[in-house]
Amino acid sequence: MSTTQVWDTSLQQFHGGQDWKFLDNFVEDFSVTTNSLGTPQGALVAAREAVDQEPAKSSLAKFLWPADHQSHVSRLLLGNGASELIDLVIRTAPPGSWKPGPWDAQYKEYQRFAEVNNRTLLSSDDKQRTTLICIVNPCNPTGDYMPVSEIRDWITNNIERGGVVIVDESMQPWLSSSWRDDSLTSQHKFASMLYETLNVSLYVIHSWTKLWSCTGLRLGSVVCPTLSHCKQLKKIQVPWSVNSAALAFLETVVTDTDYLNKTWEITPVWRKEILSRLTIISDEIAKVKGEQARWSFHGKEFLSWIWVDVKDVGFAEKAVEKARKAGVPVRSGKPGYNRPTFVRVAVREPSKVDILIRAWMSLVNS
């Protein structure tokens, strides 16, 4: 049984990442973009031992703004995963149109919440200004990324006066140890200018479960434009929505600098290696089927996944099935993203990649 057979898309947006539950031979999960280093052990211990709520929000504020966290902590709100916060912001936004970021595909929860709230949906290439904009940057799954100067211009040129902008930076801290300099969380003057001159509210959302590989804990945050915006969200937020284990985990994990340093060091190296091995398979396919069959690979080098266009719907389906049977599931681009020739492959350590490559090499001459 696969994820698509048990997921009721009439009730929920397809998300993926559950194939491993149905595999008797599970080895490694290539379908999710969590950190390939696994969960930081110190934070995991803290989560297990937690009995009381800790001052996790202040700790996260120090992580986001090491130099002046006290000036901004009041605009920070924690949530039961990013999904809860996405829902809260979209529910409080003024009615009107909705548009995703400029990518041809992005994380679908934003569109689902826009649909639920009866918004007029515009396409990503629509040029008109919009009441509500939701941008995933870096974009999951395409791997596109706008540096801070570009995304500021894009926001200014696409939002209407009095509108709301949500920027999801869940994968942005993977950039490097200097990620804060290129994050909208550091753009205090820009956010103030939007609000004071255009009445535009800018929210920056993070799901922390990918960077710290703790998806089961449900841990997200949002940086609001002002304290009053934060209070407005908190007013409709379920009390104690973030459990004590998640709060204790957060309190500990934000101080684990060794883990992050290793993440920034290892991820690009392992990503480059898996990309080179996937390219070998693509080269072999091109020899058999011609240049038009050569795969294309997408995404910035610092990211924890590769977005692969295998150019053939049938091959993509076979590749997903082969990976699943080998115990190393990948993410199909068909459900959710509606990109049937694409497959998303997470960065994982080389010995696990061996299994995936062997499974896919068997398809070259099929």
Side-chain angles (χ1 to χ4, degrees), residues 179-251:
W179 64 272
R180 296 176 184 86
D181 296 337
D182 209 43
S183 167
L184 280 171
T185 60
S186 68
Q187 298 296 302
H188 309 302
K189 290 182 179 179
F190 175 67
S192 296
M193 180 276 293
L194 285 177
Y195 188 60
E196 293 169 5
T197 63
L198 300 173
N199 194 29
V200 167
S201 300
L202 171 63
Y203 295 85
V204 183
I205 282 181
H206 289 91
S207 170
W208 295 109
T209 58
K210 296 297 192 297
L211 180 65
W212 289 312
S213 199
C214 59
T215 51
L217 282 178
R218 307 296 305 151
L219 188 57
S221 67
V222 59
V223 179
C224 302
T226 67
L227 173 59
S228 62
H229 284 80
C230 235
K231 287 182 177 179
Q232 184 185 22
L233 298 185
K234 204 165 182 63
K235 203 177 284 186
I236 61 173
Q237 185 181 33
V238 175
W240 308 293
S241 69
V242 186
N243 64 69
S244 59
L247 291 168
F249 180 94
L250 179 60
E251 174 75 11

